[in-house]
Amino acid sequence: MQIGIVGLGRMGGNIAVRLTRHGHDVVVYDRDTAMVEKTVARAEAGRAVAASNLADVVEKLNGPKKVVWSMLPAGAITEETVMALAGLMQKGDIVIDGGNTYYKDDIRRAKVLAEKGIDYIDVGTSGGVWGLDRGYCMMYGGPREAADYIDPILTSLAPGIGDIPRTPGRDRADLDPRAEQGYLYCGPAGSGHFVKMVHNGIEYGMMQAFAEGFDVMYRKDSPLLAEDERFSLNMADIAEVWRRGSVVSSWLLDLTAQALAKNGELSEFSGEVSDSGEGRWTIEAAIEESVPVPVMTAALFTRFRSRSGNTFAEKVLSAMRFGFGGHVENKN
């Protein structure tokens, strides 16, 4: 299958390369021409074609339906790109937004594109910088027929069942077998990004719990404590032992262990933790639904506070964010 990929940053470039490894052809474009050249060079020989602008992407796509995947930051640049594509593509074509877009923007854009006969699919994409080899967990929404059409693309990007044991009871007829492969059709436009938004809100809470726990242990040798109650604990060793059979074992813990093994003080991180916006949107959704989310709210507010003074906990958060997504701390 042929597809256009617009935006070749940390994830977009890897998505393009992974697709070529699975037999698909890609037309790639980024405002940074160096990123275009790099992606073409990394792709399977002959399967990636460079484009000079959005019109060139559409022009170089063939087949009964033209499909373009936008992998850009949420906000103005994605809005401009989707609307520009809407003016270049034809009835029956498909526009995919795989970034971290606010789900209400998806709903609005889908209606605009539907008036032109163009299908809009939102794909919440998780996998960070590791997705090239591990695959991407994807939650997507949009017209069912269009979603089924791009299934070969999603199958190639998904991690597959791998060596993860099957969940007992998954043979029920009402459960979608694609979930075991790492991708799931969630419903109409906006539903995919909504599920991914809540996923990131949960991620905030999980990361915060790890960060606070390690901070408590890190400070156990504090002079504020009685001398016989002070322990000098090795954070790297604790993270490692927890990875081995503990109920809190997870990929986030794996990344924490890697960072601590490299530098137990995490001195390369300032602890000034950014937020991508999805944590805020999750809390806003919770307010609209009158659902209490104290853990996610506290985790978000802690990130705000970290930018005006921080602790070891925030350095742990920064280390995890760098580990899974390549997120670099903002430098003032």
Side-chain angles (χ1 to χ4, degrees), residues 14-327:
N14 282 347
I15 284 174
V17 173
R18 183 175 174 89
L19 287 174
T20 66
R21 291 181 179 178
H22 286 76
H24 300 284
D25 296 315
V26 297
V27 178
V28 295
Y29 168 66
D30 192 285
R31 290 180 179 178
D32 184 345
T33 57
M35 296 300 294
V36 176
E37 294 171 0
K38 181 179 179 181
T39 301
V40 172
R42 292 169 57 216
E44 291 297 306
R47 291 204 171 273
V49 176
S52 56
N53 52 50
L54 291 178
D56 195 28
V57 171
V58 176
E59 178 67 25
K60 288 179 176 176
L61 291 172
N62 303 308
K65 289 180 181 285
K66 296 187 177 184
V67 182
V68 179
W69 181 306
S70 171
M71 201 65 188
L72 296 165
I77 187 171
T78 293
E79 180 77 15
E80 293 168 5
T81 298
V82 169
M83 293 307 164
L85 288 170
L88 294 167
M89 300 176 76
Q90 305 296 319
K91 183 177 180 179
D93 291 344
I94 300 171
V95 174
I96 304 168
D97 178 12
N100 285 333
T101 290
Y102 186 39
Y103 77 98
K104 292 185 179 180
D105 289 335
D106 290 316
I107 296 171
R108 172 179 52 79
R109 291 173 189 158
K111 292 177 180 177
V112 173
L113 268 63
E115 293 176 355
K116 300 174 179 288
I118 300 171
D119 289 319
Y120 178 91
I121 296 179
D122 57 290
V123 182
T125 312
S126 182
V129 296
W130 299 83
L132 176 60
D133 297 316
R134 288 170 57 108
Y136 299 90
C137 174
M138 293 169 292
M139 303 129 271
Y140 58 105
R144 170 74 77 167
E145 184 178 349
D148 290 343
Y149 184 82
I150 66 166
D151 193 78
I153 294 295
L154 301 177
T155 300
S156 297
L157 291 175
I161 195 166
D163 58 0
I164 299 175
R166 296 196 69 196
T167 300
R170 283 296 309 181
D171 54 352
R172 280 171 35 198
D174 62 325
L175 298 179
D176 191 333
R178 290 171 295 189
E180 288 188 309
Q181 302 299 319
Y183 70 111
L184 179 67
Y185 177 73
C186 299
S191 61
H193 276 147
F194 180 81
V195 174
K196 174 57 163 54
M197 176 188 78
V198 177
H199 163 282
N200 280 27
I202 293 170
E203 177 187 294
Y204 277 37
M206 293 174 64
M207 293 172 67
Q208 187 62 36
F210 274 124
E212 291 177 6
F214 277 100
D215 204 13
V216 171
M217 294 184 292
Y218 181 78
R219 297 176 183 279
K220 187 53 180 168
D221 62 353
S222 169
L224 298 175
L225 302 174
E227 188 171 351
D228 62 352
E229 295 179 1
R230 300 176 196 170
F231 306 143
S232 181
L233 302 171
N234 188 299
M235 298 298 101
D237 286 344
I238 292 170
E240 187 63 31
V241 75
W242 282 358
R243 294 182 62 225
R244 311 293 174 172
S246 163
V247 296
V248 298
S249 59
S250 66
W251 189 30
L252 290 175
L253 181 60
D254 293 346
L255 297 170
T256 303
Q258 291 173 25
L260 289 168
K262 180 180 178 181
N263 178 357
E265 296 296 319
L266 300 180
S267 56
E268 68 270 39
F269 298 102
S270 71
E272 295 183 11
V273 186
S274 299
D275 66 283
S276 63
E278 292 198 304
R280 304 185 190 207
W281 298 338
T282 301
I283 293 166
E284 289 174 1
I287 292 171
E288 292 173 354
E289 300 166 16
S290 297
V291 175
V293 287
V295 172
M296 288 188 279
T297 302
L300 176 65
F301 285 7
T302 297
R303 294 192 178 200
F304 295 165
R305 188 202 56 74
S306 76
R307 297 162 207 168
S308 59
N310 46 71
T311 65
F312 187 75
E314 277 78 52
K315 293 185 178 183
V316 175
L317 286 176
S318 285
M320 282 188 277
R321 292 184 81 244
F322 179 78
F324 69 72
H327 299 289

